[in-house]
Amino acid sequence: MKQYLFTSESVTEGHPDKICDQISDAILDEYLKHDPEARVACEVTITRGIINIMGEISSTMYVDIAQVARDVVLDIGYDNNKFGFEGSTCGVITSIGKQSKDIAIGVNRSMESKNGKAVNDKEIGAGDQGMMFGYACNETPELMPLPIVLSHKLTRKLAEVRKQGILPYLGPDGKSQVTVEYRDNLPVRIDTVIVSSQHSEDISMDRLHNDIVEYVIKPTLPVVLLAKDTKIFINPTGKFVVGGPLADSGLTGRKIIVDTYGGYAKHGGGAFSGKDPTKVDRSATYAARWVAKNVVAAKIADRCEIQLAYAIGVAHPVSVSIDTFGTNTVTEEVIIAAINQVFDLRPSAIIRQFDLRRPIYRRIASYGHFGRSDLDLPWEREDKVKELKNRVEEIEATV
């Protein structure tokens, strides 16, 4: 019997890196509200008293970028100097150019369109080269790995009890980490739980510990997976008064594992936030999750990891591959053939399928882009299960 531990982490919306992700996506959302065809590649850094916004944006609209950034910071909870950063008084520096004409040439019109091999003469090409991964497994209702699901639930609960005034002394910055014990690839118990939360100076560690257990951990984690020997660490270094941008600088795209599968699956390296959907780092990774989830939901495999790869300016993926880790009910060659018939993985098709030219991005910039049962995200829909099953049966019948 194979036995092992696996750990994933999450961070709250007040973590410096997550502040940057949310600002980047809030800027993207603001452009898409008024100009759905806007090209946005926007990154943010944050540190003591200063927000730096940089990137390339091509649009017909004007957006008050500095005000968007301030609004995000205030909404997160940095609305006074109690926790060392304040959205109304911080400095905001912007350095924004336009998308390179050389890049735009390939994105505006794909190589297939230029060669007369596309149905649509104006089909766009991929915004960059690269590889993207999607993953799904049947160990949770969300078809996500359990450690990252539980880690996100803990950080969301931290934010909830802070904003609802249940634990008003908590600050916006915080982290969680969950270690799960697996036997024969099935989760059987929670081995370790770590919760770290920023807090007011006058709160004792005993009260913080008791409150976090009572109001965050107990309502969140499944009792059936908690054991007598489950280790629980709350603010293991002790005080966590100094946090947020006062304690650490933040950067867009530095929490890509938190955003995806908690390290349980491969990652192509491309971040999501601040990128419009022509960037396949974002749109194709969403599509890869959609494919993997439908494969698992169709019970063709218990686990599925898919890799897509693109060339800049080319619409069709240059490769599609999968790994079902020996859990497949039909050959992987049959599954790939069915995927290629059922799913259109060109950037234009992905954008249309998911309606990605709309302002949906800031709300998924925290607590994960996948497995979000609180949001109706199109790449989480199991809408291709029946068609996928039928194609697998048809292909098998011809083999």
Side-chain angles (χ1 to χ4, degrees), residues 83-99:
F83 292 109
F85 199 87
E86 205 272 316
S88 296
T89 59
C90 66
V92 181
I93 301 172
T94 61
S95 180
I96 302 292
K98 291 186 177 182
Q99 184 180 59

PDB file of all heavy atoms in Angstrom, residues 83-99:
ATOM      1  N   PHE A  83      -2.567  48.689   9.900  1.00  0.00           N
ATOM      2  CA  PHE A  83      -1.765  47.547   9.477  1.00  0.00           C
ATOM      3  C   PHE A  83      -0.668  47.940   8.487  1.00  0.00           C
ATOM      4  O   PHE A  83      -0.201  47.131   7.701  1.00  0.00           O
ATOM      5  CB  PHE A  83      -2.666  46.463   8.896  1.00  0.00           C
ATOM      6  CG  PHE A  83      -3.558  45.820   9.925  1.00  0.00           C
ATOM      7  CD1 PHE A  83      -4.918  46.056   9.927  1.00  0.00           C
ATOM      8  CD2 PHE A  83      -3.022  45.002  10.905  1.00  0.00           C
ATOM      9  CE1 PHE A  83      -5.737  45.466  10.883  1.00  0.00           C
ATOM     10  CE2 PHE A  83      -3.821  44.412  11.866  1.00  0.00           C
ATOM     11  CZ  PHE A  83      -5.188  44.640  11.860  1.00  0.00           C
ATOM     12  N   GLY A  84      -0.266  49.223   8.505  1.00  0.00           N
ATOM     13  CA  GLY A  84       0.945  49.641   7.816  1.00  0.00           C
ATOM     14  C   GLY A  84       0.811  50.027   6.362  1.00  0.00           C
ATOM     15  O   GLY A  84       1.817  50.321   5.708  1.00  0.00           O
ATOM     16  N   PHE A  85      -0.409  50.024   5.816  1.00  0.00           N
ATOM     17  CA  PHE A  85      -0.595  50.423   4.423  1.00  0.00           C
ATOM     18  C   PHE A  85      -2.002  50.982   4.281  1.00  0.00           C
ATOM     19  O   PHE A  85      -2.945  50.444   4.865  1.00  0.00           O
ATOM     20  CB  PHE A  85      -0.404  49.230   3.478  1.00  0.00           C
ATOM     21  CG  PHE A  85      -0.122  49.608   2.057  1.00  0.00           C
ATOM     22  CD1 PHE A  85       1.170  49.855   1.629  1.00  0.00           C
ATOM     23  CD2 PHE A  85      -1.148  49.734   1.140  1.00  0.00           C
ATOM     24  CE1 PHE A  85       1.433  50.206   0.316  1.00  0.00           C
ATOM     25  CE2 PHE A  85      -0.898  50.087  -0.172  1.00  0.00           C
ATOM     26  CZ  PHE A  85       0.402  50.327  -0.592  1.00  0.00           C
ATOM     27  N   GLU A  86      -2.125  52.042   3.479  1.00  0.00           N
ATOM     28  CA  GLU A  86      -3.437  52.697   3.365  1.00  0.00           C
ATOM     29  C   GLU A  86      -3.663  53.141   1.931  1.00  0.00           C
ATOM     30  O   GLU A  86      -2.857  53.861   1.345  1.00  0.00           O
ATOM     31  CB  GLU A  86      -3.497  53.896   4.319  1.00  0.00           C
ATOM     32  CG  GLU A  86      -4.895  54.280   4.753  1.00  0.00           C
ATOM     33  CD  GLU A  86      -5.530  55.262   3.781  1.00  0.00           C
ATOM     34  OE1 GLU A  86      -4.843  56.196   3.376  1.00  0.00           O
ATOM     35  OE2 GLU A  86      -6.718  55.068   3.432  1.00  0.00           O
ATOM     36  N   GLY A  87      -4.778  52.690   1.341  1.00  0.00           N
ATOM     37  CA  GLY A  87      -5.012  52.903  -0.081  1.00  0.00           C
ATOM     38  C   GLY A  87      -5.185  54.341  -0.493  1.00  0.00           C
ATOM     39  O   GLY A  87      -4.858  54.709  -1.628  1.00  0.00           O
ATOM     40  N   SER A  88      -5.698  55.179   0.387  1.00  0.00           N
ATOM     41  CA  SER A  88      -5.962  56.576   0.020  1.00  0.00           C
ATOM     42  C   SER A  88      -4.713  57.431   0.012  1.00  0.00           C
ATOM     43  O   SER A  88      -4.661  58.458  -0.670  1.00  0.00           O
ATOM     44  CB  SER A  88      -6.983  57.185   0.989  1.00  0.00           C
ATOM     45  OG  SER A  88      -8.221  56.532   0.884  1.00  0.00           O
ATOM     46  N   THR A  89      -3.693  57.035   0.769  1.00  0.00           N
ATOM     47  CA  THR A  89      -2.518  57.890   0.910  1.00  0.00           C
ATOM     48  C   THR A  89      -1.253  57.312   0.292  1.00  0.00           C
ATOM     49  O   THR A  89      -0.237  58.004   0.222  1.00  0.00           O
ATOM     50  CB  THR A  89      -2.244  58.159   2.408  1.00  0.00           C
ATOM     51  OG1 THR A  89      -2.045  56.913   3.086  1.00  0.00           O
ATOM     52  CG2 THR A  89      -3.425  58.896   3.042  1.00  0.00           C
ATOM     53  N   CYS A  90      -1.282  56.055  -0.154  1.00  0.00           N
ATOM     54  CA  CYS A  90      -0.070  55.469  -0.730  1.00  0.00           C
ATOM     55  C   CYS A  90       0.260  56.121  -2.073  1.00  0.00           C
ATOM     56  O   CYS A  90      -0.611  56.671  -2.747  1.00  0.00           O
ATOM     57  CB  CYS A  90      -0.232  53.965  -0.904  1.00  0.00           C
ATOM     58  SG  CYS A  90      -1.475  53.480  -2.125  1.00  0.00           S
ATOM     59  N   GLY A  91       1.514  56.037  -2.465  1.00  0.00           N
ATOM     60  CA  GLY A  91       1.907  56.534  -3.778  1.00  0.00           C
ATOM     61  C   GLY A  91       1.606  55.507  -4.854  1.00  0.00           C
ATOM     62  O   GLY A  91       1.679  54.304  -4.627  1.00  0.00           O
ATOM     63  N   VAL A  92       1.240  56.001  -6.046  1.00  0.00           N
ATOM     64  CA  VAL A  92       0.985  55.118  -7.190  1.00  0.00           C
ATOM     65  C   VAL A  92       1.788  55.623  -8.378  1.00  0.00           C
ATOM     66  O   VAL A  92       1.621  56.765  -8.812  1.00  0.00           O
ATOM     67  CB  VAL A  92      -0.512  55.060  -7.557  1.00  0.00           C
ATOM     68  CG1 VAL A  92      -0.724  54.122  -8.736  1.00  0.00           C
ATOM     69  CG2 VAL A  92      -1.347  54.607  -6.364  1.00  0.00           C
ATOM     70  N   ILE A  93       2.667  54.782  -8.896  1.00  0.00           N
ATOM     71  CA  ILE A  93       3.510  55.133 -10.044  1.00  0.00           C
ATOM     72  C   ILE A  93       3.106  54.248 -11.213  1.00  0.00           C
ATOM     73  O   ILE A  93       2.999  53.029 -11.064  1.00  0.00           O
ATOM     74  CB  ILE A  93       5.001  54.925  -9.721  1.00  0.00           C
ATOM     75  CG1 ILE A  93       5.410  55.795  -8.528  1.00  0.00           C
ATOM     76  CG2 ILE A  93       5.867  55.230 -10.941  1.00  0.00           C
ATOM     77  CD1 ILE A  93       6.814  55.499  -8.016  1.00  0.00           C
ATOM     78  N   THR A  94       2.865  54.845 -12.374  1.00  0.00           N
ATOM     79  CA  THR A  94       2.476  54.062 -13.548  1.00  0.00           C
ATOM     80  C   THR A  94       3.491  54.233 -14.676  1.00  0.00           C
ATOM     81  O   THR A  94       4.035  55.316 -14.882  1.00  0.00           O
ATOM     82  CB  THR A  94       1.086  54.471 -14.069  1.00  0.00           C
ATOM     83  OG1 THR A  94       1.123  55.850 -14.456  1.00  0.00           O
ATOM     84  CG2 THR A  94       0.021  54.288 -12.991  1.00  0.00           C
ATOM     85  N   SER A  95       3.730  53.144 -15.364  1.00  0.00           N
ATOM     86  CA  SER A  95       4.590  53.160 -16.547  1.00  0.00           C
ATOM     87  C   SER A  95       3.976  52.198 -17.560  1.00  0.00           C
ATOM     88  O   SER A  95       4.270  51.001 -17.557  1.00  0.00           O
ATOM     89  CB  SER A  95       6.017  52.738 -16.194  1.00  0.00           C
ATOM     90  OG  SER A  95       6.843  52.746 -17.346  1.00  0.00           O
ATOM     91  N   ILE A  96       3.108  52.722 -18.415  1.00  0.00           N
ATOM     92  CA  ILE A  96       2.326  51.899 -19.338  1.00  0.00           C
ATOM     93  C   ILE A  96       2.628  52.284 -20.783  1.00  0.00           C
ATOM     94  O   ILE A  96       2.556  53.460 -21.150  1.00  0.00           O
ATOM     95  CB  ILE A  96       0.810  52.066 -19.085  1.00  0.00           C
ATOM     96  CG1 ILE A  96       0.471  51.693 -17.636  1.00  0.00           C
ATOM     97  CG2 ILE A  96       0.004  51.228 -20.067  1.00  0.00           C
ATOM     98  CD1 ILE A  96       0.632  50.238 -17.306  1.00  0.00           C
ATOM     99  N   GLY A  97       2.963  51.287 -21.590  1.00  0.00           N
ATOM    100  CA  GLY A  97       3.121  51.492 -23.025  1.00  0.00           C
ATOM    101  C   GLY A  97       2.052  50.733 -23.783  1.00  0.00           C
ATOM    102  O   GLY A  97       1.078  50.252 -23.201  1.00  0.00           O
ATOM    103  N   LYS A  98       2.209  50.631 -25.108  1.00  0.00           N
ATOM    104  CA  LYS A  98       1.261  49.887 -25.934  1.00  0.00           C
ATOM    105  C   LYS A  98       1.853  48.541 -26.325  1.00  0.00           C
ATOM    106  O   LYS A  98       3.072  48.344 -26.297  1.00  0.00           O
ATOM    107  CB  LYS A  98       0.909  50.685 -27.200  1.00  0.00           C
ATOM    108  CG  LYS A  98       0.085  51.936 -26.929  1.00  0.00           C
ATOM    109  CD  LYS A  98      -0.350  52.600 -28.228  1.00  0.00           C
ATOM    110  CE  LYS A  98      -1.241  53.810 -27.942  1.00  0.00           C
ATOM    111  NZ  LYS A  98      -1.705  54.447 -29.210  1.00  0.00           N
ATOM    112  N   GLN A  99       0.967  47.619 -26.707  1.00  0.00           N
ATOM    113  CA  GLN A  99       1.442  46.306 -27.145  1.00  0.00           C
ATOM    114  C   GLN A  99       2.346  46.463 -28.366  1.00  0.00           C
ATOM    115  O   GLN A  99       2.080  47.256 -29.271  1.00  0.00           O
ATOM    116  CB  GLN A  99       0.264  45.395 -27.501  1.00  0.00           C
ATOM    117  CG  GLN A  99       0.690  43.985 -27.880  1.00  0.00           C
ATOM    118  CD  GLN A  99      -0.487  43.098 -28.228  1.00  0.00           C
ATOM    119  OE1 GLN A  99      -1.252  43.405 -29.139  1.00  0.00           O
ATOM    120  NE2 GLN A  99      -0.635  41.995 -27.501  1.00  0.00           N
TER     121      GLN A  99
END
